[in-house]
Amino acid sequence: MERKRIHGVISLMLFAVALLVAINAVFAQSITFGIIYLIILPIGALLALMGFCPKCPHVADRTCRHVIPGEIMRLFPTGKTGGQYRATDYLILIVPILFIIGLPQIPLFKQGILIFGLFWSILVLVITEIATFVCNSFRNSNCPANKFRNQVIQ
């Protein structure tokens, strides 16, 4: 597996660890809230992927650096690969992520500053991993994370 794909998988695993910390905090506050959060997680994740990934050429040719999201998105009809991202695409990406990250904030804080800090430290690692190793150059010239938008890079 190429280095950039390894970093994509590492970023997903780190994100999963952050979510496990959040799930633990949410269940500690309320079992009902925990169950609701567990229902929201996969739905939100799928919506976020469906809002952004179908236009990415890496999904179409199985070179998604996050690997698993690329394979999941191949199960669904894709939009215009390489097309421009619209405001609705950003909304479909951002709103579910805000729910996934935002809903557990109070329970995380109630668990203590260490748990709250652990969650956010892991998220900072995820973002750093993605920005530094995964999305620092790739073929999706329309993606806002692509630093080389005018170039198509392998």
Tab-separated table of all heavy atoms in Angstrom, residues 49-78:
chain	number	residue	atom	x	y	z
A	49	LEU	N	-19.929	11.748	3.190
A	49	LEU	CA	-19.236	11.133	2.057
A	49	LEU	C	-19.999	11.367	0.757
A	49	LEU	O	-19.407	11.686	-0.276
A	49	LEU	CB	-19.060	9.630	2.283
A	49	LEU	CG	-18.116	9.207	3.399
A	49	LEU	CD1	-18.138	7.691	3.544
A	49	LEU	CD2	-16.710	9.709	3.167
A	50	MET	N	-21.321	11.211	0.817
A	50	MET	CA	-22.131	11.359	-0.395
A	50	MET	C	-22.146	12.795	-0.896
A	50	MET	O	-22.342	13.041	-2.081
A	50	MET	CB	-23.549	10.862	-0.150
A	50	MET	CG	-23.603	9.361	0.037
A	50	MET	SD	-25.255	8.756	0.309
A	50	MET	CE	-25.766	8.507	-1.375
A	51	GLY	N	-21.916	13.747	-0.003
A	51	GLY	CA	-21.885	15.134	-0.426
A	51	GLY	C	-20.595	15.519	-1.119
A	51	GLY	O	-20.566	16.473	-1.897
A	52	PHE	N	-19.542	14.809	-0.860
A	52	PHE	CA	-18.250	15.257	-1.347
A	52	PHE	C	-17.519	14.261	-2.239
A	52	PHE	O	-16.937	14.629	-3.246
A	52	PHE	CB	-17.378	15.596	-0.137
A	52	PHE	CG	-16.524	16.793	-0.368
A	52	PHE	CD1	-17.078	18.049	-0.480
A	52	PHE	CD2	-15.159	16.659	-0.480
A	52	PHE	CE1	-16.296	19.157	-0.689
A	52	PHE	CE2	-14.359	17.764	-0.687
A	52	PHE	CZ	-14.923	19.018	-0.799
A	53	CYS	N	-17.546	13.004	-1.892
A	53	CYS	CA	-16.697	12.008	-2.558
A	53	CYS	C	-17.095	11.630	-3.991
A	53	CYS	O	-16.213	11.283	-4.776
A	53	CYS	CB	-16.618	10.745	-1.708
A	53	CYS	SG	-15.838	11.032	-0.108
A	54	PRO	N	-18.364	11.635	-4.357
A	54	PRO	CA	-18.691	11.158	-5.705
A	54	PRO	C	-18.017	11.925	-6.849
A	54	PRO	O	-17.818	11.380	-7.920
A	54	PRO	CB	-20.208	11.324	-5.793
A	54	PRO	CG	-20.665	11.222	-4.381
A	54	PRO	CD	-19.574	11.886	-3.585
A	55	LYS	N	-17.639	13.169	-6.627
A	55	LYS	CA	-16.996	13.944	-7.688
A	55	LYS	C	-15.491	13.707	-7.772
A	55	LYS	O	-14.834	14.200	-8.664
A	55	LYS	CB	-17.262	15.433	-7.471
A	55	LYS	CG	-18.714	15.777	-7.661
A	55	LYS	CD	-18.955	17.241	-7.504
A	55	LYS	CE	-20.445	17.515	-7.711
A	55	LYS	NZ	-20.761	18.915	-7.577
A	56	CYS	N	-14.972	12.957	-6.836
A	56	CYS	CA	-13.525	12.740	-6.771
A	56	CYS	C	-13.100	11.620	-7.725
A	56	CYS	O	-13.641	10.516	-7.678
A	56	CYS	CB	-13.119	12.396	-5.339
A	56	CYS	SG	-11.337	12.179	-5.156
A	57	PRO	N	-12.115	11.882	-8.587
A	57	PRO	CA	-11.656	10.832	-9.502
A	57	PRO	C	-10.998	9.657	-8.783
A	57	PRO	O	-10.931	8.560	-9.327
A	57	PRO	CB	-10.656	11.554	-10.410
A	57	PRO	CG	-10.253	12.770	-9.669
A	57	PRO	CD	-11.407	13.143	-8.782
A	58	HIS	N	-10.529	9.877	-7.559
A	58	HIS	CA	-9.899	8.787	-6.806
A	58	HIS	C	-10.914	7.702	-6.424
A	58	HIS	O	-10.552	6.544	-6.279
A	58	HIS	CB	-9.206	9.314	-5.550
A	58	HIS	CG	-7.995	10.130	-5.853
A	58	HIS	ND1	-6.821	9.578	-6.296
A	58	HIS	CD2	-7.787	11.466	-5.806
A	58	HIS	CE1	-5.933	10.535	-6.494
A	58	HIS	NE2	-6.492	11.692	-6.201
A	59	VAL	N	-12.167	8.082	-6.251
A	59	VAL	CA	-13.208	7.091	-5.954
A	59	VAL	C	-13.457	6.240	-7.192
A	59	VAL	O	-13.544	5.020	-7.116
A	59	VAL	CB	-14.505	7.774	-5.476
A	59	VAL	CG1	-15.645	6.775	-5.394
A	59	VAL	CG2	-14.282	8.451	-4.127
A	60	ALA	N	-13.534	6.895	-8.331
A	60	ALA	CA	-13.845	6.186	-9.576
A	60	ALA	C	-12.790	5.157	-9.950
A	60	ALA	O	-13.119	4.093	-10.461
A	60	ALA	CB	-14.024	7.196	-10.712
A	61	ASP	N	-11.515	5.451	-9.685
A	61	ASP	CA	-10.477	4.512	-10.109
A	61	ASP	C	-9.816	3.758	-8.950
A	61	ASP	O	-8.725	3.211	-9.096
A	61	ASP	CB	-9.432	5.213	-10.974
A	61	ASP	CG	-8.630	6.259	-10.213
A	61	ASP	OD1	-8.766	6.358	-8.978
A	61	ASP	OD2	-7.858	6.988	-10.864
A	62	ARG	N	-10.496	3.749	-7.812
A	62	ARG	CA	-10.059	2.981	-6.633
A	62	ARG	C	-8.691	3.400	-6.084
A	62	ARG	O	-7.923	2.571	-5.613
A	62	ARG	CB	-10.034	1.494	-6.935
A	62	ARG	CG	-11.379	0.876	-7.024
A	62	ARG	CD	-11.231	-0.631	-6.971
A	62	ARG	NE	-12.321	-1.177	-6.212
A	62	ARG	CZ	-13.135	-2.111	-6.665
A	62	ARG	NH1	-12.961	-2.607	-7.854
A	62	ARG	NH2	-14.113	-2.542	-5.912
A	63	THR	N	-8.400	4.684	-6.140
A	63	THR	CA	-7.154	5.179	-5.562
A	63	THR	C	-7.422	6.131	-4.399
A	63	THR	O	-6.546	6.913	-4.027
A	63	THR	CB	-6.285	5.893	-6.624
A	63	THR	OG1	-7.034	6.974	-7.179
A	63	THR	CG2	-5.818	4.932	-7.696
A	64	CYS	N	-8.610	6.058	-3.811
A	64	CYS	CA	-8.944	6.901	-2.666
A	64	CYS	C	-7.917	6.666	-1.570
A	64	CYS	O	-7.676	5.533	-1.168
A	64	CYS	CB	-10.347	6.583	-2.141
A	64	CYS	SG	-10.764	7.484	-0.627
A	65	ARG	N	-7.348	7.724	-1.092
A	65	ARG	CA	-6.294	7.607	-0.084
A	65	ARG	C	-6.841	7.253	1.291
A	65	ARG	O	-6.087	6.858	2.163
A	65	ARG	CB	-5.486	8.888	-0.043
A	65	ARG	CG	-4.702	9.032	-1.341
A	65	ARG	CD	-3.937	10.295	-1.382
A	65	ARG	NE	-3.220	10.346	-2.656
A	65	ARG	CZ	-2.591	11.398	-3.087
A	65	ARG	NH1	-2.567	12.482	-2.359
A	65	ARG	NH2	-1.975	11.370	-4.235
A	66	HIS	N	-8.130	7.405	1.483
A	66	HIS	CA	-8.730	6.971	2.740
A	66	HIS	C	-9.207	5.519	2.640
A	66	HIS	O	-9.674	4.960	3.623
A	66	HIS	CB	-9.897	7.884	3.132
A	66	HIS	CG	-9.447	9.202	3.634
A	66	HIS	ND1	-9.605	10.354	2.908
A	66	HIS	CD2	-8.843	9.554	4.780
A	66	HIS	CE1	-9.105	11.349	3.605
A	66	HIS	NE2	-8.635	10.902	4.739
A	67	VAL	N	-9.139	4.936	1.470
A	67	VAL	CA	-9.438	3.545	1.148
A	67	VAL	C	-10.901	3.181	1.439
A	67	VAL	O	-11.681	2.992	0.519
A	67	VAL	CB	-8.480	2.549	1.853
A	67	VAL	CG1	-8.788	1.126	1.427
A	67	VAL	CG2	-7.024	2.892	1.566
A	68	ILE	N	-11.283	3.078	2.697
A	68	ILE	CA	-12.624	2.603	3.055
A	68	ILE	C	-13.731	3.522	2.535
A	68	ILE	O	-14.681	3.036	1.914
A	68	ILE	CB	-12.725	2.363	4.574
A	68	ILE	CG1	-11.743	1.273	4.984
A	68	ILE	CG2	-14.146	2.004	4.989
A	68	ILE	CD1	-11.486	1.178	6.472
A	69	PRO	N	-13.658	4.845	2.733
A	69	PRO	CA	-14.709	5.701	2.173
A	69	PRO	C	-14.813	5.569	0.653
A	69	PRO	O	-15.909	5.587	0.101
A	69	PRO	CB	-14.290	7.117	2.571
A	69	PRO	CG	-13.480	6.929	3.798
A	69	PRO	CD	-12.748	5.624	3.589
A	70	GLY	N	-13.674	5.420	-0.006
A	70	GLY	CA	-13.703	5.254	-1.464
A	70	GLY	C	-14.449	3.998	-1.871
A	70	GLY	O	-15.244	4.004	-2.815
A	71	GLU	N	-14.216	2.918	-1.151
A	71	GLU	CA	-14.904	1.666	-1.464
A	71	GLU	C	-16.396	1.755	-1.124
A	71	GLU	O	-17.232	1.214	-1.846
A	71	GLU	CB	-14.245	0.494	-0.738
A	71	GLU	CG	-12.857	0.160	-1.248
A	71	GLU	CD	-12.823	-0.149	-2.738
A	71	GLU	OE1	-13.682	-0.917	-3.230
A	71	GLU	OE2	-11.942	0.382	-3.431
A	72	ILE	N	-16.722	2.423	-0.041
A	72	ILE	CA	-18.143	2.609	0.305
A	72	ILE	C	-18.839	3.418	-0.775
A	72	ILE	O	-19.935	3.086	-1.214
A	72	ILE	CB	-18.290	3.285	1.687
A	72	ILE	CG1	-17.847	2.325	2.788
A	72	ILE	CG2	-19.729	3.761	1.918
A	72	ILE	CD1	-17.731	2.965	4.163
A	73	MET	N	-18.198	4.484	-1.239
A	73	MET	CA	-18.824	5.350	-2.241
A	73	MET	C	-18.989	4.653	-3.586
A	73	MET	O	-19.864	5.022	-4.362
A	73	MET	CB	-18.025	6.646	-2.402
A	73	MET	CG	-18.137	7.570	-1.204
A	73	MET	SD	-19.809	7.755	-0.534
A	73	MET	CE	-20.730	8.318	-1.919
A	74	ARG	N	-18.196	3.659	-3.858
A	74	ARG	CA	-18.345	2.913	-5.116
A	74	ARG	C	-19.651	2.120	-5.144
A	74	ARG	O	-20.100	1.695	-6.196
A	74	ARG	CB	-17.148	1.992	-5.334
A	74	ARG	CG	-15.876	2.756	-5.668
A	74	ARG	CD	-14.693	1.847	-5.846
A	74	ARG	NE	-14.872	0.873	-6.908
A	74	ARG	CZ	-14.754	1.111	-8.212
A	74	ARG	NH1	-14.469	2.323	-8.622
A	74	ARG	NH2	-14.923	0.158	-9.092
A	75	LEU	N	-20.260	1.917	-3.981
A	75	LEU	CA	-21.541	1.202	-3.914
A	75	LEU	C	-22.721	2.071	-4.337
A	75	LEU	O	-23.809	1.563	-4.562
A	75	LEU	CB	-21.780	0.690	-2.483
A	75	LEU	CG	-20.726	-0.255	-1.910
A	75	LEU	CD1	-21.022	-0.537	-0.443
A	75	LEU	CD2	-20.678	-1.548	-2.716
A	76	PHE	N	-22.508	3.374	-4.433
A	76	PHE	CA	-23.575	4.319	-4.744
A	76	PHE	C	-23.335	4.954	-6.107
A	76	PHE	O	-22.199	5.040	-6.563
A	76	PHE	CB	-23.644	5.428	-3.681
A	76	PHE	CG	-23.992	4.910	-2.319
A	76	PHE	CD1	-22.995	4.566	-1.414
A	76	PHE	CD2	-25.318	4.745	-1.940
A	76	PHE	CE1	-23.305	4.079	-0.161
A	76	PHE	CE2	-25.637	4.256	-0.697
A	76	PHE	CZ	-24.636	3.923	0.198
A	77	PRO	N	-24.414	5.427	-6.743
A	77	PRO	CA	-24.224	6.118	-8.021
A	77	PRO	C	-23.386	7.385	-7.801
A	77	PRO	O	-23.535	8.062	-6.795
A	77	PRO	CB	-25.640	6.498	-8.470
A	77	PRO	CG	-26.565	5.951	-7.454
A	77	PRO	CD	-25.792	5.367	-6.330
A	78	THR	N	-22.506	7.651	-8.732
A	78	THR	CA	-21.649	8.818	-8.590
A	78	THR	C	-22.144	9.964	-9.455
A	78	THR	O	-22.847	9.761	-10.438
A	78	THR	CB	-20.198	8.489	-8.987
A	78	THR	OG1	-20.184	8.066	-10.344
A	78	THR	CG2	-19.600	7.432	-8.086
